[in-house]
Amino acid sequence: MKVFFKSLYLKKTFFTAFFSIAVLFIVSYFFEDLLGVAKLLFYILLILLVFDILLVYRNKLGIQANRILPEKLSNGDQNTITLSVINRYQFKSKVSIIDELPIQFQQRNFGITAILKPSQERKFTYTVRPTERGEYHFGNLNIFSSSLIGFIARKQQYSTEAMVPNYPSFLQLKKYEFVAFTNRLKLYGLKKIRRIGHTLEFEQIKEYVSGDDVRNINWKATAKRNHLMVNQYQDEKSQPIYSVVDTGRVMKMPFNELSLLDYAINATLVISNIAIKKQDKAGMFTFSRKVENTVVAQRRKSQMSLILETLYNVNTDFAESDFARLYIDIKRSITHRSLLLLYTNFETLDALHRQLPYLQAIAKTHLLVIIFFENTELKSLLDIPAITTQQIFEKTIAEKFVYEKKMIVNELSKHGIHSILTAPEDLTINTINKYLEIKARGLL
């Protein structure tokens, strides 16, 4: 009986009818002829209420439902959650679904409403966009079902205490893998890279076909075969590609609900996958007070799983990053010339100059690419016309900071260090483009 009353909910339709009859009873004090009508309507209301309860609770199964969750969520992406609902009643039922989402989403107005025919099964989908890596705990799946009378609703609960881990954005892997291995780069904001020279590995000699580069004709093989033969080249393979992620306080800055660290982590996952597909060795490590979370550059099958699991647990420590310690660890542990993609952030020239000697030392033995971020909030401020004196001061300061970012790029270029200045949402695209450019130009 206790379970029955806990699952029984009177709906707005019943209360509207009940209070309307109550008003009619009050009016009947002044118009006695209405008293009989009010009593009749009251008895009809009670009969309909009892009939509605019997109708909804006669079937023990009622509405059956199940929440279908992915094995893991992809950070910063739209993840699809599926709800499977079956109507076990022999009449049309109005169903309201309330799913208790994880606390990280801070969403309290979730709801799906539908009318199901007898024995009908329907699947409902909705999307969630997680912005913090870690465990996401789903609560109860609450189903409120009612008949067409609509006086009561029966509550049923399913799929309690489901947990899904939120990993770095693995949904981007296939998307950007397709981009990197096709010629449709411009559609995704990538520049077309022109190959320069022959900084490639020889693969084989083959017959000339229309479209082959005539500069690759092998004249000795042509003379032997008596028809044109060309040398075929392929990209140099097995080059170490390391993603170096700064986990200091500068990477905690938020943008579009994700921190700069999360953007760097997502880009690291994608570029590692593309490097392995390009037959290179992919690795990574993080640094702040010290270097940690090291994954040695390899080309094995399990490498992407290892990188994904390592990135899952990476968090900022809110400390000032130690670039001197970074240089020492790189010098000790990475003996072969490698491509180092360093994700960090510099807001001022002074901040760069403090670390520039260490960056120059690293660039002497490795191909170093510094990847840092535009402040898009400041750039949007520049588009707003300045009217008041305060707005003029704010716009002037914003222009100074935007100009300093460009000066940082020039300063790095002056010392022979490659750099990428990018908006956070374009980080992955620009990093892929830089990697493809370096491969095409044979800089590594």
Side-chain angles (χ1 to χ4, degrees), residues 145-321:
S145 57
S146 58
S147 68
L148 295 181
I149 297 174
F151 279 179
I152 68 156
R154 176 185 177 184
K155 179 183 177 182
Q156 295 173 272
Q157 289 185 332
Y158 298 95
S159 302
T160 58
E161 298 184 2
M163 189 281 289
V164 184
N166 181 32
Y167 277 80
S169 181
F170 56 85
L171 291 181
Q172 295 183 16
L173 292 183
K174 289 186 178 180
K175 172 186 172 182
Y176 288 116
E177 182 181 326
F178 170 78
V179 174
F181 287 87
T182 64
N183 294 322
R184 300 179 179 181
L185 304 179
K186 290 184 179 180
L187 297 177
Y188 296 85
L190 298 181
K191 296 181 294 184
K192 186 177 180 181
I193 303 301
R194 180 171 64 91
R195 293 194 179 278
I196 300 175
H198 293 294
T199 54
L200 304 171
E201 289 182 350
F202 174 79
E203 184 178 14
Q204 64 177 349
I205 300 174
K206 70 180 188 71
E207 291 186 12
Y208 175 86
V209 295
S210 179
D212 283 340
D213 191 344
V214 294
R215 295 174 297 177
N216 293 336
I217 294 176
N218 187 318
W219 294 109
K220 289 185 178 180
T222 298
K224 289 181 180 179
R225 292 291 188 93
N226 203 26
H227 51 77
L228 288 176
M229 304 293 290
V230 294
N231 294 330
Q232 184 174 341
Y233 297 90
Q234 63 182 359
D235 291 336
E236 292 183 8
K237 298 179 180 180
S238 299
Q239 296 171 313
I241 314 296
Y242 278 96
S243 295
V244 185
V245 182
D246 185 351
T247 57
R249 62 169 177 256
V250 295
M251 297 294 283
K252 193 60 179 177
M253 183 183 295
F255 176 82
N256 196 20
E257 299 180 350
L258 288 176
S259 67
L260 297 183
L261 178 62
D262 283 314
Y263 282 103
I265 286 172
N266 291 345
T268 295
L269 187 65
V270 173
I271 199 66
S272 298
N273 182 58
I274 290 175
I276 291 174
K277 297 295 183 182
K278 287 281 189 180
Q279 307 300 315
D280 282 330
K281 298 175 182 178
M284 62 148 292
F285 54 90
T286 65
F287 78 100
S288 180
R289 291 190 181 96
K290 60 181 180 179
V291 173
E292 51 191 352
N293 299 310
T294 302
V295 178
V296 178
Q298 297 287 342
R299 208 178 65 194
R300 55 193 174 190
K301 292 182 179 179
S302 61
Q303 188 73 353
M304 282 308 301
S305 297
L306 181 58
I307 291 174
L308 181 62
E309 291 295 335
T310 303
L311 290 172
Y312 175 73
N313 294 309
V314 171
N315 286 300
T316 181
D317 60 3
F318 300 98
E320 181 75 23
S321 299

Side-chain angles (χ1 to χ4, degrees), residues 24-25 60 66 100-101 116 139 142 174 211-212 214 216 229 232 265 305 313 331 361 380 390-391 411 414 430:
L24 192 60
F25 271 108
K60 291 184 178 181
N66 182 39
E100 296 177 1
L101 301 180
L116 300 182
N142 302 286
K174 289 186 178 180
D212 283 340
V214 294
N216 293 336
M229 304 293 290
Q232 184 174 341
I265 286 172
S305 297
N313 294 309
K331 188 175 181 180
S380 63
Q390 182 178 348
Q391 289 175 338
E411 188 73 11
K414 187 170 68 176
N430 291 333

Side-chain angles (χ1 to χ4, degrees), residues 413-426:
S413 178
K414 187 170 68 176
H415 291 87
I417 301 174
H418 296 266
S419 64
I420 302 174
L421 176 60
T422 177
E425 70 269 25
D426 298 328

Side-chain angles (χ1 to χ4, degrees), residues 135-151:
E135 296 182 351
Y136 280 64
H137 294 267
F138 286 79
N140 294 323
L141 177 60
N142 302 286
I143 308 295
F144 294 86
S145 57
S146 58
S147 68
L148 295 181
I149 297 174
F151 279 179

Side-chain angles (χ1 to χ4, degrees), residues 13 31 36 40 51 128 145 156 169 173 207 211 215 282 303 344 347 354 372 385 407:
T13 308
F31 303 96
L40 178 62
F51 181 71
V128 292
S145 57
Q156 295 173 272
S169 181
L173 292 183
E207 291 186 12
R215 295 174 297 177
Q303 188 73 353
T344 185
E347 290 294 338
R354 287 197 299 270
F372 62 111
M407 290 295 293

Side-chain angles (χ1 to χ4, degrees), residues 339 367 369 433-444:
L339 171 59
L367 181 56
V369 180
N433 192 49
K434 191 68 176 180
Y435 167 71
L436 296 178
E437 178 187 350
I438 289 170
K439 292 287 290 182
R441 294 176 61 187
L443 298 179
L444 183 57

